[in-house]
Amino acid sequence: MTTATLDVRRIVGRFSLTSMSHVGRLAYFSVELVRALAEWRIWVPRAFEQAHQVGVGSLFIVLLTAGFAGAVTALQTGYQFETSLPVYIVGGLIVQTIVLELGPVMTALLLSGRIGARYAAELGTMRVTEQIDALESLGRSPASHLILPRVVAGTLMLPVLVIFADAIGILSGYWFSATGVLQLTSADFIYGAQYFFRPWDLWYSLIKSMFFGLAISLVPCYMGFSTRQGAEGVGRATTAAVVSASVSILFLDALLAQILLPNA
Amino acid sequence: MIKLINVHKRFGELVVLDGVDFTVNQGETVALLGTSGVGKSVLLKHMNGLIHPDSGEVYVDGLSVPHLRRKALSKLRSRIGYVFQFGALFDSMSVRENVRLGITDQECIADDAYCRNRVSECLDLVNLPAGTGDKYPADLSGGMRKRVGIARAIAGQPTYLLYDEPTSGLDPVNADIIDKLVIKLRDSLGVTSVVVSHDVRGSFRVADRIALLHNGTIRTMGTPDEVRASTDVAVLEFFERDFETFLDAAG
Ligand SMILES: Nc1ncnc2c1ncn2[C@@H]1O[C@H](COP(=O)(O)OP(=O)(O)OP(=O)(O)O)[C@@H](O)[C@H]1O
Ligand SMILES: [Mg+2]
């Protein structure tokens, strides 16, 4: 019994020690990035390149996912509310579910695999092939040349993608609720959507996506940048990056709901 | 001038540098020799601050490298060209863009025409054909990559050059061209250089002084003649075979 307790404590202790040191280094890493903001001549053009890649590369899969999310929301809401409530509520419900939760969270989870893995693998490879050392040896800063462009691109592009996801999700939700079990008329749908609409919801959706975008680019960049030990290290960093990015999305989702939503 | 005083460096249990004293005078070329895995690359990386010593002092140009603040360090680094052992080319950029990033002077970076000329000039100096500029590192041979690395290191007209095995993996003709380039940069521009090498004969040709890294310390350091005359067992062992060819050539 005693040994078991001790073991648990030791494991928890070690775990929190390594995660604390990660938090510390991530904080230091972020401070470096803030300093590098001054070198805008270097990071702005590179951020455009990255943003282009993120946006164009991810748009199709984001739209596809949002379309399905809208459809499923409509069909299941229809099933749940078939008899009990006035049908126009469904309109409000679909819009709210998409804008508040599904749009931002699904897009972010999707992109944590897409851009998170890419950033970690790119920077990890650059680290183990000494390209980051090479950049430093030329007196140039990896923060402004490599990391800031990626983090800025991720942070700004995610809200843009979420706007598209929200729009497609709502359209698809509308279409499926009109043709599905409910046979909702467009007047009902619009009435419901407007009845429950609060402008703050849209802002919340965008603010939330910005935080998600920051998390899914900053964390993988940090993991890739601190890669050690060759190809295996790159693999490990990439996996760890996707997992931690996804977990931080879920964590931020709960945290931001607490902070930003009135009466939550 | 480059000056290392009593530098110690270990990785975990592995002691790599165990009290290294090493001096390169202004305008001098020193060849750093040693068996594989002895710590030559590690020592070289101390000189531009890519690796920090556990203890000891590293001075370049009178500045203590491990203690420099970010700005000062990047300014110093822009005056030190570093040729990486395995090239370390930026693989998402073309050869031309790689070499262009080597140009470190702010005014020069802004001057497009200058950059274009300088890039072609540097590719020419390392004997790469003009068409190479548009290729990507992945499309080059090992020896070509090495030479692009050298071109990138010299593009910023550094006053110090640290070469990590610049001629390994090159054919004799190109190795000769690089050796001559090292000599030319010293003689015409007064560049101070350290050349890490396995190639004993090439080192005797380009270097003013030779240093042998052995068991974590500089075992011997002197002019080629002094090293040739050394009776130290470790030195003899390392140079033995090549000395014979030297003596043959001389006699
Ligand atoms: N970042 C590092 N972490 C751990 N060990 C390292 C690191 N860098 C180098 N070493 C170890 O230090 C020793 C010296 O390495 P170094 O690369 O300097 O050898 P070298 O003299 O350049 O050899 P070669 O001629 O083969 O290039 C090796 O045993 C290597 O494993
Ligand atoms: Mg080496």
Side-chain angles (χ1 to χ4, degrees):
Chain A
M1 230 15 241
T2 2
T3 50
T5 336
L6 272 180
D7 270 348
V8 168
R9 233 188 290 168
R10 202 180 303 152
I11 291 164
V12 169
R14 188 182 305 148
F15 179 74
S16 53
L17 257 183
T18 49
S19 58
M20 279 319 284
S21 80
H22 270 303
V23 168
R25 272 179 288 165
L26 183 60
Y28 180 77
F29 186 77
S30 315
V31 172
E32 296 273 295
L33 289 188
V34 173
R35 275 178 210 264
L37 281 172
E39 296 179 44
W40 59 271
R41 265 173 219 279
I42 289 168
W43 65 261
V44 169
R46 288 172 168 81
F48 270 107
E49 268 169 47
Q50 292 290 338
H52 180 78
Q53 285 185 12
V54 171
V56 174
S58 311
L59 189 59
F60 175 73
I61 184 74
V62 165
L63 294 185
L64 188 74
T65 316
F68 275 104
V72 171
T73 316
L75 297 175
Q76 294 194 347
T77 319
Y79 170 74
Q80 285 166 319
F81 288 90
E82 207 175 355
T83 50
S84 47
L85 289 166
V87 278
Y88 68 80
I89 287 185
V90 173
L93 222 93
I94 289 172
V95 172
Q96 296 243 311
T97 315
I98 301 270
V99 170
L100 289 182
E101 186 66 14
L102 284 183
V105 173
M106 286 193 67
T107 309
L109 283 176
L110 207 62
L111 288 205
S112 71
R114 267 191 69 92
I115 58 177
R118 213 186 76 205
Y119 285 178
E122 279 175 354
L123 291 173
T125 306
M126 294 188 80
R127 166 63 78 192
V128 300
T129 55
E130 295 187 309
Q131 292 178 51
I132 291 179
D133 285 343
L135 201 60
E136 289 192 306
S137 82
L138 296 169
R140 295 167 183 275
S141 126
S144 58
H145 280 76
L146 300 175
I147 299 163
L148 207 50
R150 287 176 167 78
V151 173
V152 169
T155 311
L156 296 185
M157 281 317 279
L158 195 65
V160 174
L161 288 170
V162 166
I163 291 174
F164 281 101
D166 284 355
I168 291 293
I170 291 170
L171 279 179
S172 146
Y174 163 69
W175 196 74
F176 276 90
S177 56
T179 57
V181 204
L182 287 170
Q183 300 292 331
L184 200 67
T185 62
S186 61
D188 276 341
F189 187 91
I190 292 168
Y191 177 75
Q194 281 178 341
Y195 188 82
F196 291 101
F197 180 76
R198 286 163 297 192
W200 173 243
D201 293 354
L202 272 183
W203 287 113
Y204 174 70
S205 181
L206 293 184
I207 293 170
K208 186 155 126 166
S209 344
M210 233 151 132
F211 276 98
F212 289 171
L214 182 66
I216 63 176
S217 44
L218 182 67
V219 173
C221 280
Y222 163 76
M223 299 264 176
F225 196 74
S226 9
T227 301
R228 296 279 175 272
Q229 290 152 6
E232 201 188 320
V234 177
R236 226 178 303 130
T238 308
T239 321
V242 175
V243 172
S244 359
S246 314
V247 171
S248 42
I249 287 166
L250 301 176
F251 174 76
L252 280 174
D253 196 25
L255 185 74
L256 292 175
Q258 279 289 328
I259 297 174
L260 293 180
L261 288 186
N263 320 319
Chain B
M1 195 167 97
I2 301 174
K3 196 172 180 66
L4 281 77
I5 305 167
N6 199 19
V7 167
H8 290 257
K9 181 70 191 179
R10 63 195 301 171
F11 294 105
E13 291 294 296
L14 178 74
V15 177
V16 179
L17 303 180
D18 195 14
V20 168
D21 293 299
F22 187 80
T23 309
V24 186
N25 297 313
Q26 206 61 42
E28 189 185 34
T29 300
V30 172
L32 179 62
L33 303 174
T35 46
S36 178
V38 76
K40 304 183 294 294
S41 301
V42 169
L43 182 58
L44 206 61
K45 282 180 186 165
H46 279 78
M47 298 176 199
N48 71 347
L50 287 177
I51 294 183
H52 282 225
D54 296 337
S55 67
E57 314 281 338
V58 181
Y59 294 101
V60 175
D61 234 13
L63 304 167
S64 170
V65 178
H67 298 118
L68 284 180
R69 313 281 277 149
R70 186 191 326 268
K71 273 245 171 67
L73 180 62
S74 84
K75 210 163 162 199
L76 175 65
R77 277 171 170 167
S78 65
R79 283 186 287 135
I80 306 177
Y82 192 107
V83 177
F84 284 82
Q85 185 172 1
F86 302 108
L89 302 181
F90 305 119
D91 51 21
S92 59
M93 298 179 193
S94 70
V95 166
R96 180 167 293 122
E97 290 166 317
N98 263 280
V99 178
R100 195 184 164 132
L101 264 193
I103 300 171
T104 42
D105 187 87
Q106 284 307 321
E107 281 169 32
C108 295
I109 291 174
D111 184 347
D112 239 13
Y114 170 84
C115 285
R116 230 169 310 131
N117 286 334
R118 181 70 189 153
V119 169
S120 330
E121 189 184 356
C122 289
L123 289 178
D124 196 43
L125 278 174
V126 296
N127 194 32
L128 283 167
T132 319
D134 298 319
K135 296 198 170 140
Y136 280 80
D139 305 330
L140 301 181
S141 75
M144 292 169 93
R145 265 180 241 167
K146 183 131 258 171
R147 285 180 283 156
V148 175
I150 297 172
R152 183 177 69 187
I154 62 176
Q157 301 190 309
T159 46
Y160 293 89
L161 267 162
L162 310 173
Y163 303 89
D164 200 344
E165 310 206 357
T167 56
S168 71
L170 292 188
D171 60 281
V173 176
N174 278 305
D176 209 48
I177 287 172
I178 299 302
D179 283 345
K180 291 210 173 101
L181 177 66
V182 174
I183 297 172
K184 181 176 147 194
L185 289 171
R186 177 194 61 193
D187 292 346
S188 60
L189 300 171
V191 174
T192 307
S193 340
V194 180
V195 185
V196 167
S197 183
H198 283 305
D199 173 16
V200 175
R201 258 191 280 171
S203 315
F204 275 80
R205 204 164 41 196
V206 302
D208 300 309
R209 285 193 299 152
I210 311 258
L212 179 70
L213 185 63
H214 182 75
N215 276 343
T217 58
I218 297 293
R219 187 63 179 242
T220 189
M221 187 158 183
T223 62
D225 286 333
E226 286 167 0
V227 173
R228 244 173 255 150
S230 168
T231 52
D232 187 324
V233 190
V235 178
L236 282 176
E237 211 170 277
F238 188 83
F239 291 107
E240 203 165 24
R241 255 184 296 131
D242 291 271
F243 276 164
E244 278 163 21
T245 46
F246 255 110
L247 292 176
D248 287 348

